Amino acid sequence: MTNKYERRLTELGIELPEAVAAQANYVPYVVADDFIYISGQIPFVDGKPGPIGRLGDTMSVEDGQAVARLCAINIISQLKAALDGNLDRIKQCVKLGGFVSCTPDFGDQPQVINGASDLLVDVFGDAGRHSRFAVGVAALPFGVPVEIDAIFTKL
Amino acid sequence: MSSRVAQRMAELGLTLPAPYKSSANYVGAVLAGSFLHISGQGPIRGNEITHRGKVPDDQDLEAARDAARISALNIVAQASAALGGDLDRVARVVKLFALVNCTTELNRPSRAIDAASQLMLDVFGTEIGAHPRVAIAAQSLPFGITCEIDAVFQVREKADI
């Protein structure tokens, strides 16, 4: 069965955005043997980084989860570009690194990053089951609330 | 067959805890080729958090070192579970990525994480346990834990004893 993950994305009502170009002198992904390293992905709204916000302050956990989901969708866009358009070549999501911009006393980073973890398992099934870490940081690029990087393997 | 790592742990008086299992949609470790990627581990024993709060306000440096040691032992427990209990399959500790829940006064989070690095050396020996690492101060950590450490190990198919 071909395009199984594309079909799953369609079922979920997800239209992959164009893979976002790197914002400076680095690349959005590197393919090293069977590994695909994807640069930290942030959310974009209408082509601009956003929404802007900080957990524990100007953004709720639910809204943070939605942003983490957007980051995961951007990760999938980068994956598709790295695999010449063929998502079926994904073998496994190996690791997610979840960075949450938040107040010093905020402790719900895992719940926020679940927005990304849940989506990856929804789309890729067992191939989407990953290891991960989640950390609270003082600030992220452009003031976005979540940034997520990823490592995948390919077939 | 005697296990080198198990023997060393017994000499150190270390017992492997049960690996922490999250109810969320991620797993404790993923083996990809010869690389074992382990999820960020915190100071947790028997699903109870042992060290919560920031260094140095809520936890002094010595307590933070204990938290780092417990987190490192939890990394070893995840590796053991992923490798069918055979820690002799660990060929190299490739990287530790360590986060310390700090107030701005703690200018050397590395001093806490040294205890985690030492545990890797003690458990696996210098040749396998010596690793590069990153140790940074985090704004905050999940559930307020005092530290979190993520790891990558290189593993081999079978131990060549």
Side-chain angles (χ1 to χ4, degrees):
Chain A
M1 200 160 69
T2 55
N3 291 328
K4 57 180 175 178
Y5 298 137
E6 294 276 357
R7 277 208 294 272
R8 183 66 186 141
L9 285 166
T10 306
E11 277 170 22
L12 294 169
I14 294 169
E15 197 175 328
L16 286 184
E18 282 285 305
V20 179
Q23 307 290 309
N25 216 349
Y26 64 94
V27 293
Y29 58 82
V30 166
V31 181
D33 289 336
D34 296 339
F35 289 86
I36 306 168
Y37 284 78
I38 299 169
S39 289
Q41 298 295 303
I42 59 173
F44 282 81
V45 174
D46 298 331
K48 289 185 191 152
I52 307 302
R54 197 167 185 240
L55 276 293
D57 184 9
T58 57
M59 183 169 278
S60 70
V61 169
E62 291 72 25
D63 289 346
Q65 280 175 340
V67 173
R69 191 173 185 274
L70 285 178
C71 294
I73 290 170
N74 288 336
I75 285 172
I76 298 173
S77 285
Q78 298 293 356
L79 268 177
K80 189 174 173 180
L83 294 169
D84 301 322
N86 184 3
L87 282 175
D88 286 354
R89 287 172 60 205
I90 285 166
K91 185 176 181 188
Q92 186 72 41
C93 180
V94 177
K95 183 163 270 180
L96 290 190
F99 300 85
V100 178
S101 175
C102 60
T103 52
D105 57 352
F106 184 76
D108 289 337
Q109 293 87 358
Q111 286 85 336
V112 171
I113 300 303
N114 282 350
S117 293
D118 288 346
L119 179 81
L120 289 170
V121 173
D122 256 2
V123 173
F124 298 116
D126 280 345
R129 288 187 198 284
H130 50 273
S131 63
R132 79 173 197 197
F133 65 82
V135 54
V137 297
L140 285 170
F142 311 105
V144 297
V146 183
E147 174 172 356
I148 305 180
D149 85 332
I151 305 171
F152 280 73
T153 49
K154 64 185 178 71
L155 295 170
Chain B
M1 191 171 70
S2 72
S3 156
R4 285 178 296 188
V5 173
Q7 195 180 337
R8 203 175 279 118
M9 288 187 68
E11 285 165 14
L12 294 163
L14 293 173
T15 312
L16 272 189
Y20 173 76
K21 195 174 177 331
S22 169
S23 56
N25 241 335
Y26 71 95
V27 294
V30 170
L31 182 59
S34 56
F35 295 97
L36 184 66
H37 285 260
I38 298 163
S39 288
Q41 300 295 306
I44 293 175
R45 266 185 189 147
N47 277 349
E48 294 288 326
I49 294 172
T50 60
H51 295 77
R52 221 187 268 269
K54 293 187 186 300
V55 192
D57 284 17
D58 309 314
Q59 302 280 357
D60 63 18
L61 184 60
E62 209 40 55
R65 287 174 59 83
D66 285 340
R69 206 174 285 120
I70 293 167
S71 303
L73 196 58
N74 284 333
I75 288 172
V76 178
Q78 293 290 357
S80 176
L83 299 173
D86 186 3
L87 284 171
D88 287 345
R89 285 180 61 194
V90 176
R92 189 72 202 240
V93 178
V94 175
K95 184 114 191 193
L96 294 189
F97 176 59
L99 306 152
V100 182
N101 199 348
C102 290
T103 46
T104 47
E105 290 82 60
L106 185 78
N107 55 15
R108 285 184 62 193
S110 54
R111 290 169 67 198
I113 299 307
D114 286 345
S117 291
Q118 187 61 50
L119 186 118
M120 293 297 160
L121 294 170
D122 290 345
V123 167
F124 294 109
T126 309
E127 263 183 44
I128 292 171
H131 53 270
R133 75 174 196 200
V134 176
I136 62 173
Q139 168 89 335
S140 64
L141 288 174
F143 318 114
I145 55 176
T146 297
C147 70
E148 176 176 358
I149 309 177
D150 162 286
V152 183
F153 286 5
Q154 187 182 20
V155 303
R156 53 188 157 227
E157 274 307 305
K158 287 236 169 81
D160 49 353
I161 294 177

